[in-house]
Amino acid sequence: MTSRGIVRSWNLERMQGVIDGNDVPGGCLVRFAAVAVDGFPALHPGDQVEFEWHRLGRPESGYVFECTRAWPVGSHPVVRSGRPFRAGLWRMNADGSAEGVSVGSSEQAPPALTTGGHTTGVVRTWNDEDGWGVIDSPQTPGGCWAHFSHIVDDGFRTVEVGAVVAFEWQQVTDQDGYRYCAIRVEQDRT
């Protein structure tokens, strides 16, 4: 079903938000993959949007409605062929806007392949719900993708954003848009 509404909130770190509309009492949960715009898939509080939605079988995060596609009023939803989301590098501004960043031209030689190593880095982002995040270090330019299953810990495995961690990494062809993948992550316990 298609409705009109206003974006109540958007969490840039979680890449999800809530749309309010007459047809979705209590609000409609919307995730970045449902944002049908060209460029960075985000919404801004106060934006007027058209959106498609469905009722969930059971509430999720307190919402009974979930958005399947959203786009600004007065525009057409961007239709992506093939994969629903394409990776890109974005610079986030303090006002919540984003700019695409060009890394280089296709004429540049690819970086020399390295097998991996052991280093320390800082956790840039971590999503407990999805169980993965990104660690930054000079040895892994652009970030190193990490999965909770590679964290050395007992019980629920997670890391805090901003934490310094020791990790082993390997270079990969592509892991969700990253050229490096952590194969062991240890938290600093000092």
Side-chain angles (χ1 to χ4, degrees):
M1 176 175 286
T2 302
S3 299
R4 280 193 176 202
I6 296 177
V7 178
R8 176 195 316 167
S9 64
W10 185 260
N11 184 316
L12 197 55
E13 288 180 5
R14 294 186 60 111
M15 292 301 292
Q16 68 182 32
V18 178
I19 298 173
D20 288 320
N22 292 337
D23 298 329
V24 289
C28 185
L29 182 63
V30 57
R31 293 183 174 87
F32 78 96
V35 179
V37 298
D38 191 29
F40 189 72
L43 298 173
H44 301 92
D47 284 352
Q48 293 186 10
V49 294
E50 292 185 65
F51 63 105
E52 297 170 354
W53 56 274
H54 68 271
R55 179 183 273 277
L56 295 167
R58 48 173 215 217
E60 185 175 328
S61 300
Y63 297 96
V64 295
F65 302 102
E66 180 179 47
C67 178
T68 55
R69 192 163 65 152
W71 61 96
V73 167
S75 68
H76 296 285
V78 172
V79 178
R80 293 182 177 88
S81 59
R83 294 174 30 173
F85 179 71
R86 60 184 168 87
L89 185 60
W90 302 91
R91 177 180 297 119
M92 302 306 300
N93 299 316
D95 65 359
S97 63
E99 301 172 46
V101 176
S102 174
V103 177
S105 70
S106 59
E107 289 102 32
Q108 290 178 318
L113 184 65
T114 54
T115 57
H118 186 83
T119 189
T120 59
V122 177
V123 178
R124 177 195 320 166
T125 183
W126 190 264
N127 184 321
D128 281 333
E129 193 172 299
D130 293 335
W132 69 275
V134 179
I135 303 169
D136 288 319
S137 79
Q139 290 76 16
T140 58
C144 182
W145 187 90
H147 191 261
F148 80 93
S149 63
H150 297 127
I151 298 173
V152 177
D153 205 353
D154 294 326
F156 184 74
R157 299 183 209 176
T158 187
V159 291
E160 294 292 322
V161 172
V164 176
V165 295
F167 66 103
E168 293 177 34
W169 58 272
Q170 65 183 9
Q171 190 166 12
V172 294
T173 304
D174 179 41
Q175 174 63 58
D176 292 338
Y178 296 94
R179 292 186 3 230
Y180 305 95
C181 180
I183 55 176
R184 181 178 172 90
V185 179
E186 296 181 62
Q187 301 186 61
D188 184 8
R189 299 289 183 195
T190 58

